[in-house]
Amino acid sequence: MTENAQQQPPAPSTELPTQYAPAEVEGKLYERWVERGYFAADAKSDKPAYTIVIPPPNVTGSLHLGHAFQHTLMDALTRRKRMQGYESLWLPGMDHAGIATQNKVEQQLAEEGKSRHDLGREEFVERVWRWKEEYGGKILGQMRRLGDGVDWDRERFTMDEGLSKAVLTIFKRLYEDELIYRAERIINWCPRCLTAISDIEVEYQEDAGELVSIRYGEGEDSLVVATTRAETMLGDTAVAVHPDDERYKHLVGKQIKLPLTDRTIPVVADEHVDPEFGTGAVKVTPAHDPNDFAIGQRHDLPALTIMDEHGVITVHGPFIGLDRFEARSSVVGALKEQGRIVAEKRPYMHSVGHCSRCKTTVEPRLSMQWWVKVGPLAKAAGDAVRDGRVKIHPEEMSKRYFDWVDNMHDWCISRQLWWGHRIPIWYGPDGEIVCVGPDEEPPAGEGWTQDSDVLDTWFSSGLWPFSTLGWPEQTEDLRKFYPTDVLLTGHDIIFFWVARMMMFGLYAMDGEAPFHTIALTGLVRDEFGKKMSKSNPNAVDPLVWMDKYGSDAVRFTLAKGANPGADVPIGEDWVQASRNFANKIWNATRFAMMNGATIEGELPPAEQLSSTDRWILSRLNETVAQVDAYYEDYQFAKLSEALYHFAWDEVFDWYVELSKTTFQAGGAPAEVSKRVLGEVLDVTLKLLHPIVPFVTDTLWTTLTGGESLVVGDWPKDSGFRDKAAEQELETLQAVITEVRRFRHDQGLQPGQRVPARLSLDGTALAPHEAAIRQLLRLQPEGEAFSATATLPVAGATVALDLSGTIDVAAERKRLAKDLANAEKEKAQANAKLGNEAFLAKAPDNVVEKIRTRLAKADEDIARIQTQLERLPQS
């Protein structure tokens, strides 16, 4: 903790406003936390370390519900560990987001009527840096709004000097270990972004296209191929058939005429071809299809590139200059004129790849690129999970991880961009290739040029867990905080980020994995389970909800939905309910303080406590143990539910209400209860703090006079349990609940007082008579008392005099009418369910609805009959 953090805080206010106003509290409180250095981690501390590195958001991004969700959970983990005495580091930062950021600046230039080529590389990169300083990092301010307890002094950026050195260092090591190489292969090319993109940056969707069948060759020496990309036939260099396909054996090895061209192409036999699919013959375009490229390699076929980087056709006169989609229809038209089209199918739904950033249809393209040889790296990443060095939570998500790392293809890491880490390869005038490390001078002299490409963004973010801590230097931070404890991230980026960090971490850090646990979350969806999208009206800006309900309400709603690996539905009604919970915490604490709740002095021994006090302390310790267990298992939804029900139901609705009687009576029992209530609130606020930090810290500092919950102590289970007191209070609650239900059924107003006789002798409820009467609004019986309704509950009897409080005749008439309706509903349902002809024809869902109606009718009949029996006799 910094020197500022050790300064004494101002004396807390002894009073709380009547209402909680998050907007007046949250911003100021967060800045106070930061100013006092609460989130700063000390690498020299002798405390055990606990580390989480934030999944770096794009510099172009803004806070969305997915960020808010994961940040809430990471913040809860680090806040709790800090309270437990760990040197807790949550390290923030941003990703330079190569394609996305370059697109932003290119859009700005387009508005000025310019392109990046008008500026040149150096000036364009300077322009991007200026954009980053002016507009980038918006999300960092929004993280403060959410309450992220990150160490802002350690904020990193994937293009800063230290991380750039790490990128150059690992590139050179991989290159020298022959794990980085240059090769011409088929890549995914985006004609809009004008760069290669990796397999995992391609999004597939069902598009309506066309399937055309084309006859190649003449007469008996002809065959038919089908394609959805007719324009690529201009680059065909073979037709392939299966070696065992008797239909085409006479053609294998022969040359056939390629329509629309002056070329002939061979028919080759290749086992890749499925003879059962289509005609059993496939066109082979090695420069524009990955499977065709592999066939071309096996049969030594030429690869003809027929379109440029913009997707414009560059060969064969009539089609030169046409966009690929224009060329498609033109090629089909020309083939029709020659009578080559055998069949057409429109629309033909098929899976088409799109650039994940700009949604442009991706074009497979033969290109010289830089690659990472992932085989040994991926094996190490798989072994680290298999041998238990790294745990994946929930465990069932391991299969997805293994499916990826066990079948990973070599990774194309070069991008045809200007914004990013430039590949540190220099080419000499005589074909020399030199890899230049971070502390090395590039070769000088005429004719030497640096590779113009930059590295894939995921290359630098794959180093994040150790580059952010100072690697390749052996820094104090690296020694203290690596490996990190948990990576908490969405299951959707196992492939993008998780596997890459595992590969690089194990390689760079001598086999030491970058984290002990991979805790995978689901995705945030709307309340109906639909994916949120900017293109749909269901997308929500979490800042709007924070403004309306407070950050604590948004955080608690997200945590309550966080079951490991499962998607998280969220709706505004739920955020409003969480706001109500924050208000409940506020009001209950305010009441407690007004009635003298205190943490001063030791808790009295158990023998000096009432059964109500022993009950709540027993439940308190059980909740501490339960919450701890859920945290260790990353069960945020369960721990949030446990805290919600303990705080609202047991503390606020029962203990606080029961304490009112004790406080009114005064004396020693009241003083004891004030101390117990203070203890319960102290611990409850601490347990709630990691998830709802603002309201809890405000209340706790006011209640206790302490500095801040951020640096408070995490509660421990004292081991105190009192099952007898718990059973006694369960019985008390059962009596109160049953009488309340009866009052409601009889139409009594909540505040309406009713004369009652309580027969509690011989039961554990005898000491609670005053509380029962107060909570149930029961007056002592008078001389004219007449027991018109008697309720036997849990061994006790509550007799009520309802004369003068309700119109018995009118109530009987109303209930009789309701009973008749319920019996009619039951008869109708039974009649349908007893009709065999109806059951034979009716859909299952209709039959199930009728069974549900029957069950509801039976339930209503029983309830109404009980109400009639309890009514006073007229």
Side-chain angles (χ1 to χ4, degrees):
M1 195 184 302
T2 66
E3 185 177 340
N4 286 340
Q6 296 172 347
Q7 295 175 1
Q8 289 299 315
S13 168
T14 57
E15 294 184 0
L16 290 167
T18 55
Q19 291 184 323
Y20 178 49
E24 297 176 12
V25 171
E26 293 177 348
K28 295 176 183 177
L29 184 55
Y30 185 84
E31 292 309 316
R32 192 181 311 151
W33 292 336
V34 173
E35 287 167 8
R36 293 180 179 175
Y38 292 157
F39 305 136
D42 182 1
K44 297 179 180 179
S45 166
D46 57 3
K47 296 178 182 178
Y50 184 82
T51 316
I52 294 179
V53 291
I54 205 165
N58 287 354
V59 67
T60 60
S62 59
L63 190 74
H64 57 64
L65 273 175
H67 290 129
F69 170 54
Q70 291 179 359
H71 287 207
T72 293
L73 306 188
M74 287 184 277
D75 195 31
L77 291 172
T78 49
R79 283 179 182 270
R80 172 174 174 262
K81 284 296 183 180
R82 188 178 294 111
M83 294 173 74
Q84 287 182 315
Y86 286 78
E87 198 61 40
S88 189
L89 170 61
W90 187 18
L91 194 148
M94 292 184 298
D95 191 285
H96 66 278
I99 296 176
T101 308
Q102 180 157 320
N103 281 347
K104 288 278 189 185
V105 178
E106 288 195 272
Q107 287 166 14
Q108 277 190 345
L109 289 173
E111 292 171 3
E112 300 170 14
K114 299 178 183 177
S115 75
R116 59 176 161 137
H117 300 285
D118 293 322
L119 273 65
R121 183 170 193 141
E122 186 175 341
E123 188 177 341
F124 176 78
V125 170
E126 288 178 3
R127 176 80 174 249
V128 181
W129 275 108
R130 290 200 302 272
W131 181 93
K132 184 258 181 186
E133 294 304 319
E134 185 173 355
Y135 300 105
K138 176 182 178 183
I139 193 172
L140 299 178
Q142 295 167 342
M143 287 163 55
R144 302 170 93 93
R145 282 287 315 279
L146 187 65
D148 283 8
V150 297
D151 186 345
W152 291 109
D153 293 337
R154 283 183 167 84
E155 180 191 333
R156 303 305 300 267
F157 179 54
T158 50
M159 290 277 287
D160 70 27
E161 183 178 352
L163 269 63
S164 295
K165 181 176 183 180
V167 167
L168 295 176
T169 300
I170 202 161
F171 186 99
K172 186 173 177 67
R173 290 189 187 180
L174 289 164
Y175 180 80
E176 292 178 343
D177 286 344
E178 298 183 348
L179 292 173
I180 282 182
Y181 63 95
R182 193 174 187 232
E184 189 176 42
R185 293 186 179 177
I186 292 286
I187 47 88
N188 303 297
W189 181 265
C190 176
R192 161 61 183 80
C193 298
L194 297 180
T195 181
I197 58 176
S198 65
D199 291 344
I200 53 179
E201 293 170 302
V202 178
E203 294 177 347
Y204 288 90
Q205 66 184 46
E206 290 293 309
D207 284 359
E210 61 179 352
L211 181 69
V212 294
S213 298
I214 310 168
R215 183 174 298 279
Y216 286 17
E218 306 294 341
E220 292 184 357
D221 290 347
S222 69
L223 37 66
V224 175
V225 299
T227 180
T228 58
R229 300 163 67 215
E231 71 282 4
T232 63
M233 59 89 59
L234 300 173
D236 285 358
T237 55
V239 172
V241 298
H242 194 275
D244 300 330
D245 196 329
E246 294 293 335
R247 294 171 294 176
Y248 303 118
K249 278 196 171 181
H250 70 288
L251 290 177
V252 174
K254 288 188 176 182
Q255 295 281 326
I256 62 172
K257 180 72 184 302
L258 178 66
L260 304 184
T261 72
D262 296 325
R263 294 189 291 116
T264 60
I265 57 177
V267 178
V268 300
D270 195 282
E271 292 188 351
H272 169 76
V273 180
D274 180 0
E276 302 299 323
F277 183 77
T279 64
V282 297
K283 59 191 287 300
V284 181
T285 321
H288 293 278
D289 183 274
N291 293 322
D292 294 1
F293 178 78
I295 293 174
Q297 293 279 293
R298 289 193 289 271
H299 297 276
D300 198 24
L301 300 173
L304 305 181
T305 299
I306 64 159
M307 64 181 79
D308 66 14
E309 60 187 7
H310 298 279
V312 173
I313 302 298
T314 58
V315 300
H316 201 67
F319 309 109
I320 291 176
L322 293 180
D323 172 81
R324 53 187 169 152
F325 300 118
E326 295 173 332
R328 183 170 301 169
S329 59
S330 295
V331 166
V332 171
L335 289 167
K336 282 182 180 178
E337 290 179 5
Q338 293 189 4
R340 293 286 178 176
I341 299 297
V342 176
E344 293 180 84
K345 185 176 181 181
R346 293 191 189 89
Y348 178 71
M349 302 303 297
H350 62 132
S351 182
V352 178
H354 296 260
C355 174
S356 62
R357 289 173 177 83
C358 71
K359 311 308 176 187
T360 300
T361 300
V362 166
E363 191 65 41
R365 187 168 188 257
L366 185 63
S367 181
M368 183 68 76
Q369 302 284 345
W370 285 94
W371 304 80
V372 171
K373 182 180 179 181
V374 299
L377 302 174
K379 182 181 183 303
D383 290 346
V385 174
R386 286 189 169 96
D387 64 24
R389 279 175 288 159
V390 177
K391 305 288 186 186
I392 292 181
H393 186 86
E395 190 175 354
E396 56 266 25
M397 285 285 179
S398 298
K399 183 179 184 302
R400 295 187 66 179
Y401 176 81
F402 291 130
D403 285 346
W404 180 250
V405 297
D406 293 347
N407 300 286
M408 195 182 295
H409 301 297
D410 283 3
W411 171 20
C412 176
I413 56 172
S414 46
R415 298 291 180 267
Q416 289 64 55
L417 304 171
W418 288 353
W419 172 245
H421 296 99
R422 194 165 176 180
I423 289 177
I425 294 289
W426 290 73
Y427 304 104
D430 298 318
E432 304 96 330
I433 298 179
V434 175
C435 182
V436 178
D439 300 317
E440 300 171 350
E441 290 294 325
E446 187 176 349
W448 282 92
T449 58
Q450 185 177 0
D451 195 298
S452 61
D453 290 350
V454 300
L455 288 163
D456 178 11
T457 293
W458 297 102
F459 190 95
S460 52
S461 59
L463 315 180
W464 191 252
F466 52 95
S467 64
T468 52
L469 296 172
W471 187 91
E473 307 302 327
Q474 292 304 305
T475 63
E476 286 185 330
D477 277 0
L478 194 63
R479 286 190 291 270
K480 178 74 173 179
F481 298 113
Y482 187 91
T484 67
D485 286 87
V486 59
L487 170 72
L488 191 144
T489 191
H491 60 65
D492 57 322
I493 61 170
I494 289 178
F495 323 125
F496 287 94
W497 193 44
V498 178
R500 308 211 186 291
M501 286 190 291
M502 285 287 285
M503 291 192 303
F504 282 167
L506 290 161
Y507 173 79
M509 300 300 293
D510 299 320
E512 195 168 23
F515 17 75
H516 300 305
T517 301
I518 301 169
L520 297 171
T521 69
L523 308 179
V524 178
R525 297 183 177 272
D526 71 12
E527 58 192 304
F528 305 107
K530 293 181 180 179
K531 183 178 180 180
M532 288 190 176
S533 169
K534 290 181 180 178
S535 59
N536 293 332
N538 66 349
V540 173
D541 182 350
L543 295 169
V544 173
W545 281 353
M546 288 183 210
D547 289 340
K548 195 170 182 180
Y549 303 110
S551 297
D552 282 334
V554 174
R555 291 171 60 113
F556 193 71
T557 306
L558 291 165
K560 278 186 75 176
N563 289 297
D567 288 348
V568 184
I570 184 171
E572 186 168 1
D573 288 349
W574 306 341
V575 183
Q576 186 172 353
S578 295
R579 188 271 313 273
N580 295 343
F581 179 51
N583 288 341
K584 184 78 169 180
I585 300 169
W586 182 273
N587 293 333
T589 305
R590 184 171 179 273
F591 164 83
M593 292 181 64
M594 289 171 62
N595 284 274
T598 180
I599 63 165
E600 295 298 322
E602 295 294 323
L603 274 174
E607 58 270 18
Q608 294 181 20
L609 302 176
S610 68
S611 58
T612 305
D613 293 334
R614 295 196 306 275
W615 160 71
I616 197 61
L617 290 174
S618 180
R619 292 295 306 127
L620 179 69
N621 280 287
E622 180 64 34
T623 301
V624 171
Q626 196 175 36
V627 168
D628 276 336
Y630 286 145
Y631 262 116
E632 296 306 314
D633 200 33
Y634 303 98
Q635 297 279 359
F636 295 98
K638 289 183 178 179
L639 73 88
S640 299
E641 283 290 336
L643 284 170
Y644 177 87
H645 290 296
F646 174 71
W648 191 306
D649 299 343
E650 297 184 283
V651 179
F652 305 146
D653 276 359
W654 284 108
Y655 186 71
V656 168
E657 290 300 312
L658 290 168
S659 297
K660 289 179 181 178
T661 308
T662 308
F663 293 156
Q664 288 174 1
E671 296 306 311
V672 170
S673 287
K674 289 176 184 178
R675 178 64 186 90
V676 171
L677 181 53
E679 181 75 12
V680 171
L681 288 173
D682 174 41
V683 174
T684 302
L685 292 171
K686 287 176 177 177
L687 292 174
L688 285 165
H689 175 74
I691 295 182
V692 284
F694 294 106
V695 67
T696 51
D697 196 44
T698 303
L699 292 172
W700 185 84
T701 53
T702 308
L703 171 71
T704 68
E707 181 180 348
S708 174
L709 268 182
V710 181
V711 290
D713 295 327
W714 183 254
K716 295 180 179 179
D717 174 12
S718 70
F720 176 78
R721 300 290 191 279
D722 192 326
K723 294 301 178 184
E726 289 190 34
Q727 182 60 52
E728 181 177 322
L729 266 292
E730 285 176 14
T731 303
L732 174 61
Q733 291 168 12
V735 170
I736 292 172
T737 301
E738 181 61 24
V739 177
R740 279 176 173 165
R741 184 182 298 116
F742 174 76
R743 287 176 58 107
H744 177 267
D745 289 344
Q746 304 309 314
L748 296 176
Q749 295 300 313
Q752 190 172 354
R753 303 193 70 82
V754 177
R757 177 188 299 147
L758 305 184
S759 300
L760 307 176
D761 292 344
T763 74
L765 299 177
H768 301 286
E769 179 169 352
I772 292 172
R773 287 189 177 277
Q774 178 166 318
L775 293 177
L776 291 173
R777 304 294 189 270
L778 302 179
Q779 297 176 181
E781 55 185 296
E783 293 183 4
F785 179 82
S786 174
T788 57
T790 303
L791 306 177
V793 187
T797 302
V798 179
L800 303 174
D801 183 354
L802 301 180
S803 58
T805 60
I806 60 173
D807 185 335
V808 176
E811 187 65 11
R812 281 191 178 279
K813 186 176 181 180
R814 182 185 69 81
L815 290 173
K817 182 179 179 181
D818 290 347
L819 182 60
N821 289 336
E823 288 173 338
K824 181 180 179 181
E825 176 74 4
K826 178 178 180 179
Q828 290 174 342
N830 274 327
K832 287 187 176 181
L833 293 174
N835 185 334
E836 293 296 333
F838 170 79
L839 292 176
K841 295 179 181 179
D844 290 346
N845 64 319
V846 172
V847 174
E848 186 58 35
K849 282 183 180 179
I850 294 172
R851 289 196 177 110
T852 301
R853 282 169 49 194
L854 177 61
K856 177 68 165 53
D858 282 333
E859 183 182 308
D860 288 344
I861 290 168
R863 176 179 54 80
I864 295 167
Q865 286 175 339
T866 300
Q867 289 178 244
L868 284 166
E869 290 169 4
R870 289 176 169 177
L871 276 176
Q873 298 300 313
S874 54

